[in-house]
Amino acid sequence: MNTTITPVGSLTSDEVRDVLVAATAAPSLHNSQPWRFHCTPSAIELHADTSRAMDVADPDHRELVLACGAALLNLRLAVRASGTTPDVRPLPDQARPDLLAVVRPAARRPATPAERELAAAIPRRRTNRKPFHHDPVPTALQASLRQAAEVERGWLAVLDPPQRQALCELSRRAHQAQLADPDFVAEWQRWTGRAEGLREGVPARSSGPTPEPQDEFVLRDFSGGTARTRVAGKDFEPEPLICVLGSFQDSRHAQLQAGMAMQRVLLTATANGLASSFLSQVVEVPATRRELRELIGGGLWPQIVLRVGYGSPVPATPRRPLEEVVTGELAPNHSG
């Protein structure tokens, strides 16, 4: 089945399709893709799809909103790359809490080289759970990642060695707490270790190697039990770059902004040849999230923990087709 998409504002139908494909390339918890887009003649609306929430791992839908914020940043960048200025209105209607943003393509204006570079990184970004190379991330690149977060009103804290050790213990405790919850384990098993051909969830091939006792941070097995033990000498990097992305508030609006900041950091990393993955368990367990907040000074709400470094190529995770996530001015065309 082909799909017909009509123009939105100053975007052509082909440009609308391109920006929607870019938006849906955002990362999400267990690749749940918890978003919907509604197209009108003048705007693209971003809605939270709470039917795809992780009710055990993410009961307050904080990570769901982060994922939608990442999708919104992709949408903004793709609109700019088309040579159009997006008018973005976050949380425009209190009576419709699942309406997270309205994006109106406005005046035509050429994209800057930096905007084009980040937009080009969207399809190349991956969540890389494999061991990284031991090469450290240069200080200048670390500064670029922090600046990327600040552009979106976030803050990126790069942990020093003592903080990394403290985070190591927090991650272990959070992991153990989650494994002790049968409901969490059941939800985890539903969404990870997926077979080839499915359009959602984490495929078994996207998992890292089987965790081993000496591993400090990479504890979770996304393979559904099919991951192989790594070959000798292929341990995870001994001094990973661990970053905590925080926001100054913990409201829905702040979480949406944090999702945009997270994605700008991830795309900046990708554009500079870096790989990244998430250490989500620390911020999914309330007790360890509170302790992590104290670890980074007490003034920021930790939203996500990132592991960044130089990695080998990994395949993209699958995405649902636009027909499943877009409504409005997108209609099936059965003639194709």
Side-chain angles (χ1 to χ4, degrees), residues 6-7 37 49-50 52 95 99 106 116 143-144 150 155 178 188 197 210 217 220 223 249 256 258-259 271 295 319 322:
T6 62
F37 299 90
D49 185 351
T50 55
R52 308 184 70 77
L99 175 57
R116 288 194 295 269
S144 295
E150 292 168 13
W155 187 264
Q178 289 182 325
W188 174 270
T210 302
F217 296 104
R220 304 209 282 192
S223 73
Q249 303 292 331
L256 188 67
L295 181 65
R319 289 296 185 270
L322 292 184

Side-chain angles (χ1 to χ4, degrees), residues 208-231:
T210 302
E212 294 184 356
Q214 74 271 21
D215 295 333
E216 293 186 339
F217 296 104
V218 185
L219 296 169
R220 304 209 282 192
D221 180 6
F222 288 81
S223 73
T226 64
R228 297 179 179 178
T229 301
R230 71 190 71 129
V231 285

Side-chain angles (χ1 to χ4, degrees), residues 21-336:
V21 169
T24 61
S28 57
L29 179 59
H30 304 344
N31 193 31
S32 55
Q33 304 168 59
W35 41 63
R36 291 186 299 107
F37 299 90
H38 180 72
C39 295
T40 73
S42 61
I44 299 173
E45 298 177 356
L46 168 62
H47 296 256
D49 185 351
T50 55
S51 72
R52 308 184 70 77
M54 301 292 117
D55 290 329
V56 183
D58 185 34
D60 59 1
H61 297 174
R62 182 185 59 82
E63 289 183 274
L64 184 151
V65 175
L66 288 175
C68 289
L72 178 58
L73 192 278
N74 279 3
L75 182 62
R76 285 171 44 201
L77 285 173
V79 171
R80 282 298 299 122
S82 75
T84 302
T85 301
D87 176 15
V88 181
R89 304 294 173 90
L91 302 173
D93 188 349
Q94 292 184 353
R96 303 167 66 193
D98 289 341
L99 175 57
L100 297 181
V102 174
V103 179
R104 290 184 171 84
R108 289 283 181 174
R109 180 169 63 86
T112 66
E115 289 168 334
R116 288 194 295 269
E117 181 182 48
L118 286 186
I122 291 173
R124 306 200 317 268
R125 184 212 59 83
R126 306 280 190 269
T127 298
N128 189 333
R129 302 178 182 89
K130 311 290 186 182
F132 292 165
H133 306 307
H134 291 191
D135 303 319
V137 177
T139 302
L141 274 186
Q142 295 182 31
S144 295
L145 300 179
R146 287 195 295 267
Q147 183 179 23
E150 292 168 13
V151 167
E152 301 296 336
R153 301 180 184 179
W155 187 264
L156 193 71
V158 176
L159 301 191
D160 60 26
Q163 289 174 319
R164 286 202 306 267
Q165 287 302 312
L167 180 67
C168 169
E169 177 57 27
L170 292 181
S171 68
R172 289 184 186 277
R173 284 170 40 205
H175 183 61
Q176 291 166 358
Q178 289 182 325
L179 290 184
D181 182 348
D183 292 334
F184 172 86
V185 172
E187 182 180 77
W188 174 270
Q189 292 174 341
R190 284 197 303 272
W191 284 93
T192 65
R194 291 292 186 94
E196 292 295 325
L198 299 179
R199 308 296 291 180
E200 59 191 2
V202 181
R205 60 173 168 77
S206 295
S207 176
T210 302
E212 294 184 356
Q214 74 271 21
D215 295 333
E216 293 186 339
F217 296 104
V218 185
L219 296 169
R220 304 209 282 192
D221 180 6
F222 288 81
S223 73
T226 64
R228 297 179 179 178
T229 301
R230 71 190 71 129
V231 285
K234 295 295 184 180
D235 284 339
F236 284 92
E237 60 280 10
E239 295 186 3
L241 180 67
I242 304 294
C243 308
V244 179
L245 191 143
S247 58
F248 295 98
Q249 303 292 331
D250 202 27
S251 64
R252 196 172 181 84
H253 184 266
Q255 291 162 2
L256 188 67
Q257 284 185 318
M260 289 187 279
M262 174 188 73
Q263 185 67 354
R264 188 175 285 271
V265 169
L266 293 174
L267 294 177
T268 300
T270 301
N272 285 279
L274 295 170
S276 59
S277 64
F278 302 96
L279 301 174
S280 299
Q281 63 267 37
V282 184
V283 288
E284 288 172 352
V285 174
T288 53
R289 188 182 183 218
R290 287 192 297 269
E291 292 184 57
L292 177 58
R293 188 182 184 205
E294 293 303 314
L295 181 65
I296 59 175
L300 296 171
W301 291 92
Q303 299 294 351
I304 201 70
V305 183
L306 296 173
R307 165 181 161 258
V308 182
Y310 292 97
S312 301
V314 294
T317 51
R319 289 296 185 270
R320 294 190 292 160
L322 292 184
E323 290 87 348
E324 293 185 11
V325 297
V326 181
T327 61
E329 301 298 321
L330 178 150
N333 178 359
H334 296 281
S335 63

